[in-house]
């Protein structure tokens, strides 16, 4: 059974930075895609960024140039460096792992950006 545990959320002023981390444990296959999604109040969950085991990345247009996703496969950990944060980045951020037929979600971590 795979579990994902996120950390690093919090309250930050606009223009500030935060770094999220997500550690995966359990049966992790060598080929997978890990990523971050977010859900703001009253809105649908949306893609933020993904990174494959081959280091291919994909970003939402709204975060390109501000957020960077990376991973340490040896530690089964994915990171999201968030710079130049905006109030509209406020949301619960969820880690996601996709492998074979599995899609696993973390419990989420709150990111709040004050204006």
């Amino acid at each position: 059974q795979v579990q994902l545990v996120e950390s690093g959320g919090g309250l930050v002023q606009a223009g500030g930075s935060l770094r999220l981390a997500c550690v995966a444990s359990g049966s992790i296959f060598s080929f997978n895609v890990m990523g971050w999604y977010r859900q703001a109040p009253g809105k649908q969950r949306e893609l933020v960024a993904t990174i494959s085991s081959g280091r291919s990345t994909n970003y939402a247009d709204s975060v390109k140039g501000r957020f960077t996703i990376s991973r340490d496969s040896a530690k089964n950990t994915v990171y999201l460096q968030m710079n130049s944060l905006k109030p509209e980045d406020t949301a619960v951020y969820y880690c996601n792992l996709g492998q074979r037929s599995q899609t696993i979600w973390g419990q989420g971590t709150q990111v709040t950006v004050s204006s």
Side-chain angles (χ1 to χ4, degrees):
Q1 186 174 359
V2 178
Q3 290 187 325
L4 303 176
V5 178
E6 300 110 332
S7 61
L11 173 64
V12 64
Q13 288 188 333
S17 298
L18 283 174
R19 189 191 195 207
L20 306 183
C22 171
V23 180
S25 61
S27 298
I28 310 299
F29 297 106
S30 57
F31 179 78
N32 58 64
V33 177
M34 297 188 75
W36 292 94
Y37 291 72
R38 67 187 181 187
Q39 188 167 17
K43 295 187 177 181
Q44 290 187 331
R45 191 172 298 187
E46 63 177 4
L47 168 75
V48 176
T50 62
I51 184 167
S52 71
S53 48
R55 300 291 195 274
S56 294
T57 59
N58 180 47
Y59 292 92
D61 288 342
S62 59
V63 307
K64 284 181 180 177
R66 301 188 297 122
F67 292 9
T68 302
I69 191 169
S70 61
R71 64 187 290 167
D72 183 337
S73 294
K75 296 181 179 179
N76 290 324
T77 301
V78 63
Y79 304 96
L80 185 69
Q81 178 66 44
M82 304 186 293
N83 298 328
S84 302
L85 282 161
K86 303 176 181 180
E88 50 263 44
D89 295 317
T90 295
V92 177
Y93 283 70
Y94 295 91
C95 180
N96 173 274
L97 169 67
Q99 59 177 17
R100 297 193 180 180
S101 61
Q102 293 179 302
T103 300
I104 299 100
W105 293 94
Q107 81 285 357
T109 185
Q110 177 70 44
V111 171
T112 303
V113 184
S114 63
S115 57

